[in-house]
Amino acid sequence: MSNVPKISESEWEIMKVIWSQSPLTAEQIVLQLSDKMEWSDQTVRTFINRLLKKKAIGFEKSGRSYLYFPLVSEKECVRAESQSFLKRVFNGAAGIMVTNFLEETDLSQQEIDHLHQILTEKRREKDKGTQA
Amino acid sequence: MSNVPKISESEWEIMKVIWSQSPLTAEQIVLQLSDKMEWSDQTVRTFINRLLKKKAIGFEKSGRSYLYFPLVSEKECVRAESQSFLKRVFNGAAGIMVTNFLEETDLSQQEIDHLHQILTEKRREKDKGTQA
DNA sequence: CTCCAAATATTACATACGTAATATTACACT
DNA sequence: AGTGTAATATTACGTATGTAATATTTGGAG
């Protein structure tokens, strides 16, 4: 279910803008990306069109231009990309992946505490499950 | 530093074989992949050649065939892919990424405990750093 | 109703990738 | 030394991607 299309690296930039706020005109998308990426507006419009063709986004007419909005949720796409990455690089082993990230990344005290807490809770849940 | 070449999804499969054991002949690589992937041996040899061109692997002659070995380490490549993924999907926010994985993935009790322990240690380390 | 400017749509082109087929080279055997 | 076979090298071809340029359409001004 929920078969998300393959979204390329550049297309992800477009999607992130549209997910963060929609609907948006092409003009607005170009604007939002203008300081982050060095893309001509035609390039951005090409990516928008490819995303339309892939059914990742839709549009409705509004006067002279279109208003674009997502057809696939960010959550779905993040899931798909994560699974793909996990499989390709870590043979699907999420535990190893997370371990690796924890060891390679310099997290802040806050983040460490937060993750620690999540795991503490998860541990308790798991325990309850076993108990029952 | 340590500029790793871009390795495609298919090429990753070849690299994983070569990293796990090297040097290997093309024949041996084909064999190791034969049950996992539905690739003709010519396809595998094409990927091997592309990896050679990218300087991801090297070879030395051995009788009638070549023995291939990695020129880039798995660690480097995992790092590069991880950074790329992190940037594309989570805007580089490792904390959010890990949180997301912890919440979306069903980890075993063992894995949870292990991660919990790593974080407990990291927390202590961080604390010591602050203390000084 | 006509015409322009702006928006969308189509076309372009080089490189990467998936997936091989064919061509060439070079051991090993006779 | 010649030859066949197995390895490597080259070529092929369709789709995807990055990066636009050009062509066409159309809403809005006059």
Side-chain angles (χ1 to χ4, degrees):
Chain A
M1 257 125 298
S2 170
N3 237 11
V4 297
K6 303 279 170 211
I7 293 173
S8 80
E9 180 141 351
S10 301
E11 289 162 358
W12 263 90
E13 294 301 323
I14 312 288
M15 291 306 293
K16 284 193 282 197
V17 170
I18 296 179
W19 279 322
S20 78
Q21 178 195 3
S22 72
L24 287 175
T25 64
E27 178 83 35
Q28 291 173 309
I29 296 171
V30 166
L31 249 170
Q32 299 237 357
L33 285 166
S34 63
D35 48 347
K36 184 172 185 177
M37 316 302 286
E38 296 288 317
W39 287 335
S40 88
D41 59 342
Q42 278 314 313
T43 295
V44 174
R45 281 161 209 274
T46 295
F47 293 146
I48 290 173
N49 265 304
R50 288 184 182 164
L51 287 168
L52 275 176
K53 228 157 254 169
K54 292 182 183 186
K55 312 279 190 189
I57 62 178
F59 70 86
E60 56 173 323
K61 303 190 89 157
S62 160
R64 64 194 169 290
S65 53
Y66 292 176
L67 285 173
Y68 299 95
F69 53 85
L71 288 180
V72 292
S73 73
E74 177 162 20
K75 204 179 179 70
E76 290 176 302
C77 291
V78 167
R79 266 189 78 81
E81 273 290 312
S82 298
Q83 289 309 309
S84 162
F85 165 69
L86 200 58
K87 186 167 185 303
R88 183 178 3 146
V89 179
F90 292 94
N91 297 304
I96 293 175
M97 193 278 268
V98 173
T99 301
N100 193 278
F101 259 95
L102 292 183
E103 280 168 357
E104 295 266 329
T105 312
D106 190 38
L107 297 166
S108 73
Q109 179 78 59
Q110 290 258 321
E111 288 172 311
I112 292 175
D113 284 351
H114 184 218
L115 292 172
H116 190 268
Q117 195 186 328
I118 289 177
L119 283 168
T120 301
E121 258 171 59
K122 266 212 172 310
R123 190 154 68 164
R124 198 166 25 232
E125 276 174 44
K126 210 67 172 185
D127 203 41
K128 229 193 307 194
T130 305
Q131 211 90 6
Chain B
M1 261 124 293
S2 170
N3 238 13
V4 297
K6 303 280 169 211
I7 294 173
S8 80
E9 181 141 351
S10 301
E11 289 162 359
W12 263 89
E13 294 302 323
I14 312 289
M15 290 307 292
K16 283 192 281 197
V17 171
I18 295 179
W19 279 322
S20 78
Q21 179 195 1
S22 72
L24 288 174
T25 64
E27 178 84 35
Q28 291 173 307
I29 296 171
V30 166
L31 249 169
Q32 299 236 357
L33 286 166
S34 64
D35 49 348
K36 182 169 186 180
M37 316 303 285
E38 297 288 315
W39 287 334
S40 88
D41 60 343
Q42 278 314 314
T43 296
V44 174
R45 283 163 207 272
T46 296
F47 293 146
I48 290 174
N49 263 305
R50 288 186 180 162
L51 287 168
L52 274 177
K53 228 158 253 169
K54 293 180 183 187
K55 311 280 189 185
I57 62 178
F59 69 88
E60 55 173 323
K61 304 190 91 156
S62 160
R64 63 191 170 293
S65 54
Y66 292 176
L67 285 172
Y68 299 95
F69 54 84
L71 288 180
V72 291
S73 73
E74 178 163 21
K75 203 178 180 70
E76 288 176 304
C77 291
V78 167
R79 265 190 78 82
E81 274 290 312
S82 299
Q83 288 310 308
S84 161
F85 165 69
L86 199 59
K87 186 168 185 304
R88 184 177 4 146
V89 178
F90 292 93
N91 297 304
I96 292 176
M97 193 278 266
V98 172
T99 301
N100 193 277
F101 259 94
L102 292 183
E103 280 167 358
E104 295 266 329
T105 312
D106 191 36
L107 296 166
S108 74
Q109 178 76 60
Q110 291 259 320
E111 288 172 311
I112 293 174
D113 284 350
H114 184 217
L115 291 172
H116 190 268
Q117 196 186 329
I118 289 176
L119 283 167
T120 302
E121 255 172 63
K122 264 210 173 312
R123 190 153 67 162
R124 198 164 24 232
E125 274 174 44
K126 211 66 173 184
D127 203 40
K128 229 193 306 194
T130 305
Q131 212 88 10

